[in-house]
Amino acid sequence: MSGNIELLNATLANARAENRAALVGYLPAGFPTVDGGIAACVALLESGCDVVEVGLPHSDPVLDGPVIQTADDVALRGGVRIADVIRTVREAHAATGKPVLCMTYWNPVDRYGVERFAAEMAEAGGAGCILPDLPVEESEVWRKAAEQHGLATVFVVAPSSKDERLAKITAAGSGFVYAASLMGVTGTRESVGREAQDLVERTRATTGIPVCVGLGVSNAGQAAEVAEFADGVIVGSAFVKKLLAHPDDLDAGLADVRELAGDLAKGVRSRGAAAV
């Protein structure tokens, strides 16, 4: 079975055709348990998310803020393995038919085996990988494996990225570009700021592939704000917080996650009504 980069591309194109941004959710695999994490990913996709990123929990997540680090710790203490990450991708995609990516740091992929990881992701129906710490100059081995298996390679750009650097990154990437809206780690913010819009505009000047903004969006108003200028709105910490709030009641956590996904889905569809 080949990967689902075509499904990802079509999903983002359909959102654009509907004159809206896509809603991309994120949750780490194995949180609060492997089965609970799968249920949560399915809940996101059934309640308004167009795409889901499944995080591969890491003991030293340089990009992730305290909320996602807490969830990663829960997953790691529970013994989550790469096989569980692959299973989460497989079951979330199979249950919904929607594109599911893996977001991971490079070291686990390198140790697992690049070809093996790409092959298993594709076999599971995965759409691709987001690799926030893989320098584009060192990405050829991964990109070749990903292309062979029909997977997108999503790179992360930041406000500090110079225009020449942006062009190099976007030329090597596929699926979409992950634009980190604020410097620093992930986490909800009171305002995503104009820095994000500037980054999207500079990135768009170098590529035709969609640009999705993450790091900071936590409510429908912010989603609407970002949807005014981005092709996709990425939300992670806000979903994780909902599950963390109900450590002993998965059903209550899933209900909150579904409600938030529905609200955010309305936000990304409200272009023209966002606050300036």
Side-chain angles (χ1 to χ4, degrees):
M1 182 179 182
S2 64
N4 273 318
I5 186 173
E6 293 87 356
L7 176 63
L8 175 63
N9 292 341
T11 298
L12 294 171
N14 288 342
R16 180 178 287 185
E18 294 172 6
N19 191 34
R20 67 175 179 87
L23 178 60
V24 183
Y26 166 93
L27 286 171
F31 169 73
T33 62
V34 175
D35 288 344
I38 291 168
C41 287
V42 171
L44 293 190
L45 290 166
E46 288 180 344
S47 305
C49 287
D50 300 286
V51 181
V52 155
E53 304 169 3
V54 174
L56 194 160
H58 195 271
S59 56
D60 184 26
V62 292
L63 185 73
D64 298 315
V67 172
I68 291 174
Q69 284 184 22
T70 299
D72 278 1
D73 287 344
V74 170
L76 291 167
R77 285 201 305 271
V80 70
R81 302 174 65 84
I82 286 181
D84 300 314
V85 179
I86 300 292
R87 179 186 157 212
T88 302
V89 171
R90 175 185 289 108
E91 296 196 15
H93 169 64
T96 63
K98 291 187 175 182
V100 182
L101 298 97
C102 178
M103 185 166 188
T104 178
Y105 294 96
W106 177 242
N107 190 44
V109 177
D110 193 32
R111 282 185 297 155
Y112 193 72
V114 175
E115 171 62 28
R116 178 186 178 195
F117 190 87
E120 291 184 9
M121 272 292 297
E123 188 276 328
C129 284
I130 302 155
L131 300 154
D133 66 338
L134 179 62
V136 66
E137 293 85 358
E138 300 170 23
S139 66
E140 186 177 359
V141 171
W142 164 257
R143 286 189 288 118
K144 282 186 174 179
E147 188 174 352
Q148 180 183 347
H149 291 286
L151 300 172
T153 296
V154 178
F155 288 108
V156 177
V157 298
S160 59
S161 304
K162 305 297 184 190
D163 291 353
E164 183 181 350
R165 180 75 182 160
L166 288 175
K168 183 178 286 189
I169 292 170
T170 58
S174 55
F176 63 90
V177 181
Y178 188 128
S181 69
L182 289 139
M183 297 296 289
V185 297
T186 58
T188 57
R189 303 285 200 276
E190 289 186 8
S191 172
V192 293
R194 298 197 177 276
E195 206 170 45
Q197 185 167 359
D198 175 66
L199 176 59
V200 170
E201 289 172 358
R202 292 195 299 119
T203 304
R204 278 221 184 105
T206 71
T207 184
I209 67 174
V211 182
C212 301
V213 170
L215 310 192
V217 173
S218 60
N219 57 51
Q222 290 175 342
E225 182 186 348
V226 175
E228 287 290 312
F229 58 83
D231 298 297
V233 179
I234 302 170
V235 180
S237 295
F239 287 126
V240 173
K241 275 186 176 178
K242 296 295 185 185
L243 293 173
L244 284 171
H246 301 282
D248 301 312
D249 190 346
L250 178 61
D251 287 343
L254 293 177
D256 282 0
V257 157
R258 287 179 181 276
E259 182 180 12
L260 177 59
D263 288 345
L264 291 166
K266 291 175 186 173
V268 300
R269 287 166 170 79
S270 61
R271 278 186 175 167
V276 176

